[in-house]
Amino acid sequence: MAKRLPIFDLENDKVIFRDGRVAVGFQVQGAPLESWTEGYFHQASEVLTRQLKLLPVGTVVQKTDIYYDHAFHPEGESRGYYEGKLLDHFIARLVLQHESYLFLSFPSKSRHRLKKVNPITSGFAQAGSAIKNPFSKIDRLLQEAERIATEFVQGLYSLKDVSVTRLDEESLNDLLIRYLKLSFDEDGSGTTSGTKTTPKLNREVYSDPSGLVIGEKKANVITMMGQGSEVFASIKNHYKVTSPYTFGLSQQLQFPHIVTQCLLVEDTERELKALDFERKLNDSLEWLTTQDHELKAEELDEFTAFVRSENARLVSLHQSVIVFSNDDELRQSYIDQVVSAISGLYGAEALIESYDTANLFFASVPGNGFQHYRWLITADKIASCYLHWMQDVTGDTQGDYLCDRFRNLLQVNLFNTEQANQNCVVIGPSGSGKSYTMGNFIAQRLERGARQIIIDKGGTYRNVMYALTGKNFEQTYFEYSAEKPLAFNPFLLDKSSEGHYRLTSEKSNFLIAVLSTIWKGGAASTVAASTGSHGQDLTPAERAIFKLILPRYYQYLNDNQSTAFPGMHSFYHFLRRYQSEHNQDAEYRSETKYFDLEQFLIVLKPFVSGEYKKVLNAAYELDISEHPLVCFDLDKINSDPVLYPVVTLLITELALDQIRKYPDQIKYLYLDEAWAMLSGKLQEFIEDLFRTIRKNNGSVNIITQGLNEIKQSSVGEAVLVNAATKIILWHEDSRLVDELATHLGFTTHEVELIRSIRKEKTFRELFIKQGEEARVYVLEISPHLDAVLSSKPQERNYLRKLIDHYHGNLPYAVNQFVERKALKRGAGSGVHGVNKHSVETNNAAEKAYQAQNKKQTPSGVPPSSPPQAHRSNE
């Protein structure tokens, strides 16, 4: 090994090889997968082509992408029962890690005397014995390498979301040793009892005809021996999303492998002369020419003409893939997949190396790419398409748990304070999984201590609420109906230190919204929608008069606190009294000229002494502050065109009061379908809603089935503008995607991502756009949370029975549900089959549940059996 090792020394943060070459190394942090448009890929190709022209003849640009398995292990403790079960679900799952490196190596010899190696003259074959003093000009070469590499890398800074970091001697040493050991799931030094040890090679290496054996692993090299018929800066991947040309060799191969691409800068004039000579030789043997020779001659003519016309630079391209495993059968399947992936590059030819495996393995040592001898001459513009600058999607340090498209767990911060706001619009047709998706977020946020209020109109979250709140369900789930109305009092305001009611601009706008909705009619109810009635907006004069009336009413209350109490009853009688007292005043008659007070009083009458008299006259406001998760279901009054929009407004304001009450806690307000009541007459209230949310650390989540509801609401555009985050779920009808793109301003690339969304039995995908960043994530949850979110009636009913059986103890019920389902004993068999032994083993789950109710969130839940490792690429 000492004789064959190509590395001579590390000096000045550079690698000195035995053949006298000097290499400078960088680690590349690429742009997230599927984040670049076709234009960005063309730009990257142009940038690399331009930078290649700056390099002297003989320079090798080597890109090494290492993909290796790493078993998932969560960092730190989980914050609650469901999060603990989620982490248990993913624990020990193999995650394909990706590291990317860029090396530039420079020759010690004169460029004009540079000779390529072959299998006999390579440094590995010669063991360094054939080269006489390759270090005679090493000092000059070290300085020159530093200057040229720095200039080259500076030109790469224009690549979007790509960063390049210089490797120091320690990092170079770690990388080289990890490569030579084929052991990447640790740093090169290893650790012993937390203390770093001296890096060393501790694997036996020997060669046999079927591959290179390194310790317990065997490696094979597959080389691209011929380019495909077409080469592009980007292609569509199997999701039909714009991706790198060599995407099929990257994360798409979900197993450990190393991709090496080398570009050797050639003397273009000399190589063109050689190609011209080859063409003449081919012509001189015309009498022996076959059809293959004729095709080759045509290709040579086209290629040389292209190089001269485009002023391109000739480079030699090498591309190979190293696969390794300690399982021969598995390794053979890897080889087959790599051959197929290379063939997928428009018919490129692949060669599975045998006796040359060791030679090419050492030639692929990062920075040693000149020692390769399987080259393809091509133009710099074509060669630049082979290097790709993409990396795995990385998660945030906090947020909701989702997965990348390869089903690796990560966190996504949907409450991103760097955005203009933290509001969100969720669009998903019926059957796309809106309630399932939002239920997942709600459960996670509950355990993180966020306060959440849901306004629903279809019973969507009833079962989720029952499973998440357990014993507190009756106090947290309010199903509004005419028989069991909730009592509100929007007129009941806070008092000043002097004991006077304080009418702020926000409360004034809210009261005007309520009164105008009662007077002019609501647009969101089923009745109104079916009849085409969308209510009427307040005129400017009517709004101005409301602005005059309300302060006068509160002045009256402050002057008569012993006899007058805020409420619709007193407001109605104040208006009656005010009308009779000022009926003859010129100012009053001028005001009411544009305000039909009699009609207004008639409309208010049902809220004073009629069927709605309990709605707006409560002695105190409903207090929901004790519970972090509350849901209001308005389904039973949805058909009431008067009550529905008014109650929705009242509940929304109640939610806002809670948001103002806890300014430091993160808060979420969900409007599921119910948001359609936001009509034009409520413009100022909507502005106050979003302003209040923004100022008080909150987020409004608008959940809707499609664009029609947005279009039908005159404030739909304002809602979209105030939502920096857009979540799009699976759309079966592609025409709806086109409408989304037009109305929401999605780019062509973002439409590609939306169309690529998959919906499978074990997972579903969703598109998330935050600001200018857009990507597709996978929603995969644990069986325990799936039990809570299941929409199957049989499973819902069985879980409810278990919750009742365990007296509201959620961990007991869910654990039993999952156990029964895993054992395939039938989810709906009834409570009599509950396994009593499981109760005795759930003490930790009980503690976690009790701590959650006390607003503490330790985990302590025993882990479930680890899932199968990822390898299936659905």
Side-chain angles (χ1 to χ4, degrees):
M1 174 64 82
K3 292 180 179 180
R4 305 286 175 175
L5 198 64
I7 303 147
F8 178 76
D9 196 10
L10 301 178
E11 186 174 326
N12 297 333
D13 297 333
K14 302 176 186 66
V15 186
I16 301 175
F17 289 96
R18 290 188 181 274
D19 62 358
R21 293 183 73 91
V22 170
V24 182
F26 304 86
Q27 183 163 12
V28 179
Q29 181 62 46
L33 280 170
E34 297 187 344
S35 66
W36 277 11
T37 64
E38 189 174 337
Y40 286 130
F41 283 106
H42 281 289
Q43 178 189 350
S45 177
E46 291 171 0
V47 167
L48 185 55
T49 301
R50 182 182 68 239
Q51 295 306 103
L52 286 173
K53 295 184 186 300
L54 304 177
L55 299 177
V57 173
T59 304
V60 175
V61 178
Q62 179 176 350
K63 182 106 178 339
T64 301
D65 290 280
I66 302 170
Y67 303 89
Y68 62 93
D69 277 336
H70 172 75
F72 171 78
H73 290 287
E75 297 180 2
E77 295 184 355
S78 61
R79 288 164 292 199
Y81 172 74
Y82 293 109
E83 182 174 314
K85 291 301 183 183
L86 176 69
L87 297 179
D88 290 345
H89 176 66
F90 284 91
I91 201 166
R93 178 180 292 194
L94 294 180
V95 178
L96 194 69
Q97 302 287 324
H98 177 204
E99 295 178 14
S100 183
Y101 298 93
L102 180 70
F103 278 80
L104 278 77
S105 68
F106 306 92
S108 59
K109 291 185 177 183
S110 167
R111 289 13 173 207
H112 300 291
R113 295 189 292 112
L114 192 66
K115 292 184 179 180
K116 294 180 182 177
V117 301
N118 59 47
I120 306 301
T121 62
S122 70
F124 177 80
Q126 295 282 348
S129 60
I131 302 176
K132 296 181 180 180
N133 192 16
F135 311 118
S136 59
K137 300 179 180 180
I138 192 67
D139 291 334
R140 179 188 58 79
L141 184 57
L142 287 170
Q143 295 178 3
E144 190 176 348
E146 183 73 34
R147 176 184 59 81
I148 298 173
T150 301
E151 291 178 358
F152 181 87
V153 168
Q154 284 178 344
L156 302 180
Y157 292 151
S158 61
L159 299 180
K160 183 178 183 292
D161 296 331
V162 175
S163 61
V164 182
T165 306
R166 178 72 177 273
L167 295 174
D168 58 19
E169 288 182 26
E170 183 179 4
S171 300
L172 288 168
N173 187 66
D174 286 353
L175 171 62
L176 294 170
I177 288 182
R178 291 165 70 215
Y179 175 88
L180 293 169
K181 292 164 59 176
L182 285 182
S183 180
F184 299 103
D185 197 14
E186 60 182 51
D187 60 18
S189 63
T191 56
T192 304
S193 300
T195 304
K196 252 191 170 182
T197 60
T198 304
K200 58 184 177 181
L201 295 171
N202 55 3
R203 300 289 197 281
E204 184 182 21
V205 180
Y206 64 92
S207 185
D208 70 23
S210 63
L212 180 69
V213 180
I214 301 177
E216 73 282 9
K217 302 182 183 75
K218 182 176 285 189
N220 287 95
V221 178
I222 302 95
T223 308
M224 187 178 76
M225 291 296 293
Q227 294 190 77
S229 58
E230 301 283 349
V231 178
F232 301 97
S234 64
I235 58 173
K236 303 291 186 187
N237 63 16
H238 57 293
Y239 301 120
K240 307 266 191 266
V241 176
T242 302
S243 299
Y245 179 67
T246 54
F247 171 75
L249 299 176
S250 60
Q251 288 89 346
Q252 180 62 21
L253 298 176
Q254 281 282 295
F255 52 78
H257 64 289
I258 303 171
V259 181
T260 301
Q261 292 143 340
C262 298
L263 307 182
L264 170 60
V265 178
E266 299 283 6
D267 185 329
T268 301
E269 289 303 318
R270 187 172 68 177
E271 291 298 324
L272 281 175
K273 288 179 182 178
L275 291 173
D276 290 340
F277 177 78
E278 185 178 347
R279 177 69 172 90
K280 290 177 181 179
L281 182 63
N282 193 75
D283 290 344
S284 67
L285 299 175
E286 186 176 357
W287 57 280
L288 289 175
T289 300
T290 63
Q291 188 175 10
D292 288 341
H293 286 89
E294 292 176 358
L295 291 173
K296 184 177 181 181
E298 290 178 7
E299 290 175 357
L300 280 172
D301 284 341
E302 291 178 4
F303 179 68
T304 53
F306 167 79
V307 172
R308 290 186 169 104
S309 64
E310 296 288 332
N311 193 27
R313 190 167 194 179
L314 287 179
V315 298
S316 288
L317 166 70
H318 169 87
Q319 178 164 270
S320 60
V321 180
I322 300 173
V323 298
F324 51 94
S325 175
N326 55 6
D327 184 312
D328 288 342
E329 185 176 347
L330 200 58
R331 182 171 49 84
Q332 184 58 51
S333 73
Y334 296 167
I335 294 171
D336 295 340
Q337 291 182 61
V338 171
V339 171
S340 176
I342 292 177
S343 300
L345 297 176
Y346 291 86
E349 300 174 19
L351 172 66
I352 304 171
E353 305 287 355
S354 56
Y355 289 100
D356 278 331
T357 299
N359 219 343
L360 294 174
F361 174 82
F362 283 96
S364 292
V365 167
N368 195 38
F370 181 74
Q371 290 293 316
H372 277 295
Y373 44 84
R374 303 204 189 280
W375 299 99
L376 300 170
I377 193 76
T378 188
D380 50 5
K381 292 185 177 181
I382 297 174
S384 64
C385 298
Y386 284 86
L387 275 64
H388 85 80
W389 308 95
M390 311 306 288
Q391 203 89 4
D392 294 314
V393 173
T394 56
D396 300 314
T397 56
Q398 60 183 355
D400 302 303
Y401 281 103
L402 291 169
C403 298
D404 64 17
R405 297 201 83 158
F406 299 103
R407 298 170 70 179
N408 301 319
L409 191 66
L410 48 81
Q411 285 181 283
V412 181
N413 186 10
L414 296 179
F415 197 91
N416 189 347
T417 54
E418 295 180 3
Q419 299 291 335
N421 56 69
Q422 288 71 57
N423 304 322
C424 176
V425 170
V426 182
I427 302 177
S430 177
S432 62
K434 289 192 304 298
S435 60
Y436 193 91
T437 301
M438 298 311 297
N440 167 63
F441 290 147
I442 290 168
Q444 292 191 43
R445 293 164 182 175
L446 178 64
E447 291 189 328
R448 291 203 302 271
R451 303 190 72 85
Q452 302 176 87
I453 300 174
I454 306 167
I455 302 178
D456 183 25
K457 70 166 189 179
T460 306
Y461 300 94
R462 182 181 182 87
N463 287 283
V464 173
M465 288 293 299
Y466 190 86
L468 291 179
T469 59
K471 301 172 184 176
N472 297 321
F473 177 73
E474 296 296 333
Q475 291 78 44
T476 57
Y477 189 81
F478 301 97
E479 194 170 17
Y480 196 102
S481 66
E483 296 76 23
K484 292 177 57 179
L486 294 175
F488 299 93
N489 192 341
F491 297 95
L492 191 59
L493 306 183
D494 294 332
K495 290 185 177 182
S496 65
S497 57
E498 293 82 14
H500 294 160
Y501 293 105
R502 293 188 296 111
L503 180 64
T504 63
S505 61
E506 290 178 345
K507 284 296 183 180
S508 177
N509 288 335
F510 170 63
L511 285 170
I512 292 173
V514 173
L515 294 172
S516 64
T517 301
I518 294 172
W519 185 16
K520 298 293 184 176
S525 70
T526 303
V527 171
S530 63
T531 60
S533 172
H534 295 285
Q536 302 172 12
D537 293 341
L538 286 178
T539 65
E542 290 168 340
R543 183 173 295 277
I545 292 173
F546 269 132
K547 290 281 189 181
L548 294 173
I549 290 175
L550 287 172
R552 293 171 184 173
Y553 169 61
Y554 279 97
Q555 183 63 47
Y556 160 75
L557 291 176
N558 290 328
D559 293 341
N560 300 274
Q561 288 199 31
S562 60
T563 58
F565 187 79
M568 179 59 79
H569 187 273
S570 66
F571 180 69
Y572 175 84
H573 289 289
F574 163 78
L575 290 178
R576 280 290 188 198
R577 186 180 302 108
Y578 188 83
Q579 179 189 38
S580 62
E581 291 177 356
H582 298 85
N583 196 32
Q584 302 303 318
D585 295 348
E587 182 180 357
Y588 173 80
R589 288 199 302 270
S590 175
E591 289 175 358
T592 56
K593 181 178 179 181
Y594 302 100
F595 191 95
D596 192 338
L597 184 59
E598 289 297 333
Q599 182 195 62
F600 181 56
L601 289 171
I602 291 172
V603 172
L604 292 185
K605 195 66 179 289
F607 290 89
V608 178
S609 57
E611 58 180 320
Y612 305 132
K613 63 182 180 181
K614 295 183 179 180
V615 177
L616 301 175
N617 290 292
Y620 54 87
E621 280 290 2
L622 179 67
D623 185 10
I624 57 174
S625 58
E626 182 181 350
H627 305 288
L629 176 61
V630 176
C631 180
F632 295 92
D633 183 6
L634 308 181
D635 186 51
K636 291 188 176 180
I637 61 168
N638 181 46
S639 59
D640 190 323
V642 176
L643 194 58
Y644 172 70
V646 174
V647 172
T648 307
L649 269 175
L650 294 169
I651 292 174
T652 304
E653 180 64 13
L654 175 64
L656 286 177
D657 285 338
Q658 295 300 307
I659 287 169
R660 297 184 189 103
K661 190 174 181 179
Y662 300 95
D664 297 328
Q665 282 185 270
I666 292 178
K667 296 163 289 292
Y668 295 90
L669 172 61
Y670 304 94
L671 297 175
D672 194 333
E673 309 295 345
W675 81 284
M677 65 86 194
L678 306 177
S679 58
K681 68 179 74 65
L682 309 178
Q683 183 69 39
E684 290 188 44
F685 170 70
I686 300 306
E687 293 173 356
D688 286 341
L689 184 150
F690 283 109
R691 183 165 52 248
T692 302
I693 287 284
R694 185 175 64 251
K695 291 191 303 184
N696 290 276
N697 207 28
S699 168
V700 179
N701 287 246
I702 307 294
I703 307 162
T704 183
Q705 286 197 9
L707 279 175
N708 286 336
E709 293 182 349
I710 298 175
K711 292 177 180 178
Q712 289 172 3
S713 172
S714 57
V715 295
E717 293 299 328
V719 169
L720 292 176
V721 168
N722 282 281
T725 301
K726 312 288 193 304
I727 298 179
I728 311 298
L729 305 182
W730 177 71
H731 281 65
E732 185 177 15
D733 190 342
S734 61
R735 293 172 299 179
L736 296 178
V737 178
D738 295 332
E739 290 183 22
L740 284 174
T742 303
H743 199 77
L744 301 182
F746 289 142
T747 65
T748 302
H749 181 68
E750 289 164 353
V751 172
E752 284 181 359
L753 292 173
I754 295 173
R755 291 186 186 280
S756 72
I757 291 175
R758 299 172 295 167
K759 181 184 176 186
E760 305 291 344
K761 289 183 178 179
T762 56
F763 69 92
R764 61 191 68 202
E765 295 183 330
L766 58 156
F767 168 90
I768 299 179
K769 181 177 181 181
Q770 283 187 296
E772 298 302 317
E773 292 188 1
R775 58 183 55 102
V776 174
Y777 293 97
V778 172
L779 174 60
E780 180 181 351
I781 62 178
S782 69
H784 299 75
L785 187 53
D786 181 73
V788 170
L789 302 180
S790 174
S791 60
K792 298 177 181 178
Q794 187 180 25
E795 294 184 353
R796 281 183 176 183
N797 295 336
Y798 181 57
L799 180 60
R800 287 177 69 91
K801 289 179 181 179
L802 286 173
I803 294 174
D804 293 340
H805 178 82
Y806 288 116
H807 306 292
N809 189 301
L810 304 184
Y812 285 1
V814 174
N815 287 350
Q816 179 66 23
F817 180 95
V818 172
E819 179 182 325
R820 295 269 303 196
K821 190 172 181 180
L823 295 174
K824 298 181 180 180
R825 282 187 263 170
S829 57
V831 182
H832 63 275
V834 170
N835 184 354
K836 301 299 180 183
H837 176 69
S838 66
V839 178
E840 299 171 2
T841 61
N842 274 334
N843 291 333
E846 165 67 7
K847 291 178 182 178
Y849 172 65
Q850 291 176 352
Q852 178 182 318
N853 281 350
K854 294 176 183 177
K855 300 179 183 177
Q856 301 172 356
T857 53
S859 172
V861 182
S864 59
S865 58
Q868 293 182 353
H870 81 125
R871 277 295 166 261
S872 59
N873 187 22
E874 290 89 353

